[in-house]
Amino acid sequence: MDFTPSEEQTAAQGLAARIFGDLSTHERLTAAGTGTDAELWKELCAAGLPAAVEDVGLLGLVLVLEEQGRTTAQVPLAATCVYGLLAVAAHGTPEQRERLLPGLRDGTAVATGAFPARGGVHIAEDGALYGSVAWVPWLRDATHVLVADAERGLWIVRTGEPDVTAVPVETTAPWSAGRLVLDGVRGERLGNGQPGAYVDVLATARTAFAGLQAGVCAGSLARAVHHTVTREQFGRPLSTNQGVLLRAADAHMDTEAIRVTAYEAAWRHDEQRACAAQALTASWWASEAGKRVVHAGQHLHGGTGADLDHPVHRHFLWGRQLDAYLGCGGEVLEELGLLLAHSSQEGAS
């Protein structure tokens, strides 16, 4: 395994770090409230970052999403890349790629996904889609939704259709989420309904959002380190207390575990190797370790961490949202266990 980024991946990460660092400030995030930073999204698209994902691969996307997570930038980058660009590029027909990818590359189209499949959407005998999904991230911004039906088939649905309703929903993280209601809409099958498309998109999503969680945790920890180094108690910095050092060290190790498992899953995906177990592993670490890190970030801020207007609280909210998105730790661990048991049985036979 070699996780060393290519020149293109390093350039994309550096560009993302600069744009997010310059524009995703505490003041702009406060002004955005629970909505999307439209100007930041335009800047990212003008710089070609969404379009670059097709060239830098999933590992490149993970590196870019780390930079987004560090600043908790409120843009639908992960959703558009995972459920739009990468999904259509991998599983769409030549006609679908030609028609859909240009808008997703330049940001005039925004994609999201009604994932994972939980049986909320069904196909009627006439082929229309009915049902609802309790919440879909960035739905209020989306022009297209990748819907997974009860049979794990994938459908592209346009949010502007009269039989599609998006009801605003507020979640822990300010992701412009909404409740998706489908009342007989004619969706567009992604590609030719190839087996394994749903599994691949879900594994890609879990890996990408684990990378986002690594950035959220890194940002939370960086704020905690700055606070404990500069804040004095009894004439010395808080960081000199052994308990503070140990808590920060544990948070650092957890963050690195999320990062390296996300890198491995992304690298294997880009190398077209089996990565289902690695994606689940990254997702488990993002859930279990992620919530430990963001809790530690708040704890190390002491009373300041209880201030809902403090930047570290935003990392806490994002970390807890990512903890449960696409399956919480227990659900993911069960799925991983079943996958490993099935693989073991196949090997024995």
Side-chain angles (χ1 to χ4, degrees):
M1 292 182 292
D2 183 5
F3 304 151
T4 305
S6 65
E7 289 186 14
E8 292 79 7
Q9 290 168 338
T10 301
Q13 184 182 25
L15 179 59
R18 180 179 63 79
I19 295 175
F20 287 130
D22 289 345
L23 298 182
S24 185
T25 62
H26 177 58
E27 293 73 22
R28 286 176 64 93
L29 288 167
T30 301
T34 61
T36 299
D37 188 334
E39 292 303 317
L40 174 56
W41 179 242
K42 290 179 182 178
E43 185 71 21
L44 290 170
C45 295
L49 273 176
V53 170
E54 293 175 84
D55 297 322
V56 300
L58 184 54
L59 179 56
L61 176 59
V62 165
L63 293 170
V64 169
L65 291 177
E66 271 194 78
E67 302 305 326
Q68 179 186 0
R70 290 178 196 275
T71 60
T72 59
Q74 291 174 201
V75 288
L77 181 60
T80 292
C81 290
V82 168
Y83 300 121
L85 281 162
L86 293 181
V88 173
H91 303 290
T93 63
E95 187 278 330
Q96 286 175 324
R97 292 196 292 270
E98 182 179 359
R99 172 166 47 88
L100 296 173
L101 288 178
L104 293 167
R105 289 173 183 143
D106 64 22
T108 55
V110 174
T112 188
F115 271 66
R118 300 190 186 278
V121 176
H122 301 273
I123 310 172
E125 292 183 359
D126 61 358
L129 297 172
Y130 291 86
S132 64
V133 180
W135 78 275
V136 177
W138 308 108
L139 182 60
R140 283 178 265 170
D141 298 326
T143 57
H144 299 76
V145 185
L146 187 61
V147 177
D149 64 36
E151 303 300 322
R152 297 189 172 185
L154 298 182
W155 303 84
I156 301 171
V157 172
R158 295 181 179 272
T159 56
E161 296 292 330
D163 297 320
V164 178
T165 304
V167 182
V169 171
E170 297 300 333
T171 59
T172 302
W175 290 356
S176 295
R179 179 171 180 263
L180 179 68
V181 181
L182 306 176
D183 188 19
V185 67
R186 296 284 179 173
E188 175 184 357
R189 174 76 78 169
L190 179 63
N192 297 314
Q194 311 99 316
Y198 168 82
V199 174
D200 177 66
V201 174
L202 181 56
T204 301
R206 281 172 165 160
T207 302
F209 281 95
L212 184 63
Q213 180 75 304
V216 170
C217 291
S220 174
L221 183 58
R223 292 187 182 279
V225 169
H226 179 267
H227 176 81
T228 56
V229 167
T230 57
R231 185 69 175 266
E232 291 190 356
Q233 189 177 59
F234 305 118
R236 61 176 185 169
L238 289 171
S239 60
T240 59
N241 294 315
Q242 187 178 40
V244 172
L245 290 170
L246 292 174
R247 192 78 191 275
D250 286 342
H252 171 73
M253 294 303 296
D254 273 337
T255 301
E256 289 301 301
I258 300 170
R259 177 181 288 119
V260 73
T261 52
Y263 284 5
E264 181 185 5
W267 176 81
R268 292 183 68 90
H269 178 276
D270 291 343
E271 293 292 316
Q272 298 184 338
R273 303 189 183 194
C275 61
Q278 287 75 17
L280 286 166
T281 301
S283 188
W284 183 84
W285 275 103
S287 175
E288 293 296 312
K291 62 187 173 188
R292 287 198 297 265
V293 174
V294 295
H295 275 268
Q298 279 207 299
H299 188 196
L300 290 173
H301 276 78
T304 306
D307 182 359
L308 301 185
D309 295 324
H310 193 279
V312 77
H313 188 67
R314 191 176 293 111
H315 289 268
F316 175 79
L317 296 177
W318 277 62
R320 291 314 308 259
Q321 189 70 56
L322 287 164
D323 158 31
Y325 182 50
L326 300 177
C328 64
E331 292 175 305
V332 170
L333 189 60
E334 180 183 17
E335 192 175 336
L336 177 59
L338 292 172
L339 176 65
L340 295 177
H342 180 69
S343 300
S344 177
Q345 290 173 355
E346 285 188 339
S349 61

